């Protein structure tokens, strides 16, 4: 077997496949191999979006798109002018994969199956003659006489150009460090909050829009987010929580995932305004029990549990409620305090903050500034995004730009 290639790509994930396919499309003469350590390729694509694959997000202005990256915002702005959401949609459509936009902006294949994306990639690599080598666990790589040597457990591969698209892989980061690169230590970036609190114990499955603030050790707001919040068996999840976990990744890790949050279940209505509304309801509905009808468009079970937490019994009617109890309720509605004790991470949400230091990469080509003909794409870099298809868009953009760079004639 001839193990000499023009280009070797370490990592059989989204970024690796996208890089390989686009490179050969530009230069069909290239001999490319994708080295995947596992038995299967594209495993993260398969499980993402609950098995539907959240391909990208319907955000069509580069600057606005870049704002969804806690790490990488500045660096991705230029690349997004070369390849972003509209280009992704066109790329897949040209290969028979139609995407659809959901209400929240997330984009999925119309089939609602990640297998559609996987099949597209596998068909393309087969059509273009790209070698996909599974079970090729990379032990080390190094440069010798201007050529990259990549050693797996059983073979040595040689190539002029090397692309590392290995995702969040500590072993690969160590090999990259050995080449002189700085690697920012990884911490979890997308995770849910573990909360044990009587107010939400019986509310798994309840979802509503809310504003959530993360408080520092002194009780001051460190970070704020708003959006859909989902109460779960172990605490809280949903976009409002996941955005906080991404933007606050390093702060929350430093807090050992023990911190306080304050929730306004009414998003942007103040405690004073709520109290005023409650006083009006007392006048309008004097004989009605508070428990009977949820107010402020809140889910009924959430409304009832916040009433109980305010010291109001299930039998009390509006006319009997003291102003003190209404003040308690206004506070529960707009400033509920919860203690977070730990995090939960799911495979489909697993993203890390950390990776190859961005100042050591040329973002016009995604080539290493320290090692010629070494390129990076995807999560191997210290780039990560909030949930919603943005991490895949980083993989597509990086893979496309690397492909354009590596498919040119050797210099």
């Amino acid at each position: 077997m001839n193990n000499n290639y023009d280009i070797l790509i370490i990592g059989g994930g989204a970024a690796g496949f996208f890089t390989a396919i686009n490179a050969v499309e530009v230069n069909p003469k290239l001999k490319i191999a994708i080295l995947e350590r596992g038995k299967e390729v594209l495993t993260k694509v398969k499980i993402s979006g609950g098995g539907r694959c959240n391909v990208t997000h319907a955000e069509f202005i580069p600057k606005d798109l870049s704002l969804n990256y806690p790490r990488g915002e500045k660096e991705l702005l230029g690349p997004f002018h070369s390849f972003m959401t509209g280009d992704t949609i066109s790329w897949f459509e040209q290969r028979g994969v139609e995407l659809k936009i959901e209400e929240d902006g997330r984009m999925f294949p119309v089939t609602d199956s990640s297998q559609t994306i996987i099949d597209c990639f596998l068909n393309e690599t087969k059509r273009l003659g790209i070698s996909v080598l599974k079970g090729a666990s990379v032990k080390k790589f190094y440069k010798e006489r201007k050529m990259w040597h990549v050693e797996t457990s059983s073979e040595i591969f040689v190539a002029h150009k090397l692309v590392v698209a290995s995702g969040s892989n500590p072993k690969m980061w160590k090999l990259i460090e050995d080449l002189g690169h700085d690697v920012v230590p990884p911490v979890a970036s997308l995770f849910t909050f573990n909360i044990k609190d009587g107010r939400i114990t019986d509310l798994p499955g309840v979802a509503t829009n809310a504003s959530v603030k993360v408080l520092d050790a002194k009780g001051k707001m460190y970070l704020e987010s708003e959006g859909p919040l989902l109460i779960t068996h172990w605490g809280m999840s949903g976009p409002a929580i996941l955005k906080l976990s991404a933007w606050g990744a390093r702060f929350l890790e430093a807090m050992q995932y023990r911190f306080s949050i304050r929730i306004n279940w009414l998003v942007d209505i103040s405690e004073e305004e709520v109290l005023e509304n409650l006083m009006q309801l007392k006048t309008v509905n004097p004989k009605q029990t508070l428990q009977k009808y949820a107010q402020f468009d809140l889910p009924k079970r959430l409304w009832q549990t916040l009433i109980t937490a305010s010291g109001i019994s299930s039998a009390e009617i509006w006319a009997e409620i003291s102003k003190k109890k209404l003040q308690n309720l206004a506070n529960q509605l707009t400033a509920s305090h919860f203690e977070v004790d730990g995090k939960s991470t799911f495979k489909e949400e697993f993203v890390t903050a950390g990776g190859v230091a961005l100042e050591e990469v040329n973002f016009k080509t995604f080539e290493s500034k320290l090692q010629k003909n070494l390129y990076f794409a995807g999560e191997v870099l210290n780039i990560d995004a909030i949930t919603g298809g943005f991490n895949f868009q980083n993989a597509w953009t990086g893979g496309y730009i690397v492909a354009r760079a590596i498919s040119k004639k050797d210099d």
Side-chain angles (χ1 to χ4, degrees), residues 243-308:
K243 276 191 270 186
L244 291 173
S245 74
W247 287 99
R250 296 212 168 270
F251 172 81
L252 301 179
E253 194 262 348
M255 300 283 281
Q256 297 182 307
Y257 306 106
R258 289 176 176 82
F259 54 94
S260 302
I261 60 173
R262 192 161 58 232
I263 299 177
N264 185 338
W265 297 103
L266 309 180
V267 185
D268 55 3
I269 305 176
S270 71
E271 190 169 334
E272 293 74 19
E273 289 174 298
V274 172
L275 181 57
E276 199 176 299
N277 282 333
L278 293 174
M279 296 298 282
Q280 287 174 350
L281 286 166
K282 180 175 177 174
T283 305
V284 176
N285 307 310
K287 295 183 179 179
Q288 196 179 90
T289 60
L290 275 73
Q291 290 267 9
K292 191 168 185 182
Y293 297 107
Q295 304 296 330
F296 306 103
D297 293 323
L298 282 176
K300 189 171 183 180
R301 287 196 293 151
L302 176 61
W303 168 253
Q304 290 173 339
T305 200
L306 294 177
I307 286 173
T308 304

Side-chain angles (χ1 to χ4, degrees), residues 287-291 307 312-318 320-321:
K287 295 183 179 179
Q288 196 179 90
T289 60
L290 275 73
Q291 290 267 9
I307 286 173
I312 299 168
S313 74
S314 59
E316 285 187 85
I317 60 173
W318 283 98
E320 296 170 349
I321 302 294

Side-chain angles (χ1 to χ4, degrees), residues 49 114 133 213 285 302 353 367 398:
S114 57
L133 308 176
K213 295 177 179 176
N285 307 310
L302 176 61
E367 184 178 13

Side-chain angles (χ1 to χ4, degrees), residues 29-309:
K29 293 179 180 178
L30 289 173
K31 186 183 177 188
I32 296 182
I34 297 171
L35 305 179
E36 167 55 43
R37 62 177 172 162
K39 293 178 181 177
E40 298 296 331
V41 293
L42 300 161
T43 52
K44 204 163 185 179
V45 169
K46 189 170 184 64
I47 60 175
S48 82
R52 295 196 297 146
C53 188
N54 187 181
V55 176
T56 186
H57 200 95
E59 179 56 76
F60 298 96
I61 299 169
K63 177 65 177 170
D64 292 346
L65 180 60
S66 71
L67 295 175
N68 295 285
Y69 296 81
R71 285 144 293 271
E73 175 187 336
K74 176 170 65 76
E75 289 80 6
L76 287 175
L77 184 55
F80 282 155
H81 279 87
S82 295
F83 193 94
M84 58 172 293
T85 313
D87 305 296
T88 299
I89 296 167
S90 297
W91 193 94
F92 281 105
E93 282 186 348
Q94 286 164 14
R95 289 157 182 81
V97 178
E98 192 181 342
L99 304 181
K100 61 175 179 177
I101 303 172
E102 301 208 334
E103 278 186 28
D104 59 5
R106 292 182 303 160
M107 298 193 69
F108 296 89
V110 293
T111 59
D112 276 328
S113 171
S114 57
Q115 194 60 44
T116 303
I117 305 298
I118 293 170
D119 290 344
C120 171
F121 285 154
L122 293 178
N123 290 338
E124 287 294 281
T125 51
K126 189 174 180 181
R127 177 177 73 84
L128 297 168
I130 296 164
S131 300
V132 179
L133 308 176
K134 302 173 190 175
S137 181
V138 173
K139 301 302 178 187
K140 63 179 178 176
F141 49 83
Y142 52 90
K143 211 172 193 180
E144 198 173 89
R145 295 176 190 167
K146 295 186 177 182
M147 299 294 283
W148 285 101
H149 292 63
V150 179
E151 292 187 14
T152 67
S153 41
S154 57
E155 298 174 79
I156 297 177
F157 297 87
V158 179
H160 186 64
K161 294 176 181 177
L162 178 64
V163 181
V164 183
S166 50
S168 304
N169 185 331
K171 287 182 180 176
M172 290 302 105
W173 278 328
K174 176 67 174 68
L175 294 177
I176 293 165
E177 279 185 318
D178 291 345
L179 294 172
H181 272 283
D182 284 332
V183 172
V184 179
V187 298
S189 175
L190 287 181
F191 50 86
T192 60
F193 293 177
N194 293 353
I195 299 170
K196 289 181 180 177
D197 191 294
R199 287 169 293 176
I200 61 171
T201 302
D202 298 324
L203 300 183
V206 169
T208 187
N209 278 337
S211 169
V212 188
K213 295 177 179 176
V214 170
L215 308 180
D216 64 18
K218 295 180 180 177
K220 291 185 177 179
M221 185 187 82
Y222 173 77
L223 203 57
E224 182 177 17
S225 135
E226 66 177 66
L229 183 152
L230 172 68
I231 297 172
T232 68
H233 287 287
W234 54 88
M236 294 182 187
S237 185
I241 298 298
L242 294 173
K243 276 191 270 186
L244 291 173
S245 74
W247 287 99
R250 296 212 168 270
F251 172 81
L252 301 179
E253 194 262 348
M255 300 283 281
Q256 297 182 307
Y257 306 106
R258 289 176 176 82
F259 54 94
S260 302
I261 60 173
R262 192 161 58 232
I263 299 177
N264 185 338
W265 297 103
L266 309 180
V267 185
D268 55 3
I269 305 176
S270 71
E271 190 169 334
E272 293 74 19
E273 289 174 298
V274 172
L275 181 57
E276 199 176 299
N277 282 333
L278 293 174
M279 296 298 282
Q280 287 174 350
L281 286 166
K282 180 175 177 174
T283 305
V284 176
N285 307 310
K287 295 183 179 179
Q288 196 179 90
T289 60
L290 275 73
Q291 290 267 9
K292 191 168 185 182
Y293 297 107
Q295 304 296 330
F296 306 103
D297 293 323
L298 282 176
K300 189 171 183 180
R301 287 196 293 151
L302 176 61
W303 168 253
Q304 290 173 339
T305 200
L306 294 177
I307 286 173
T308 304

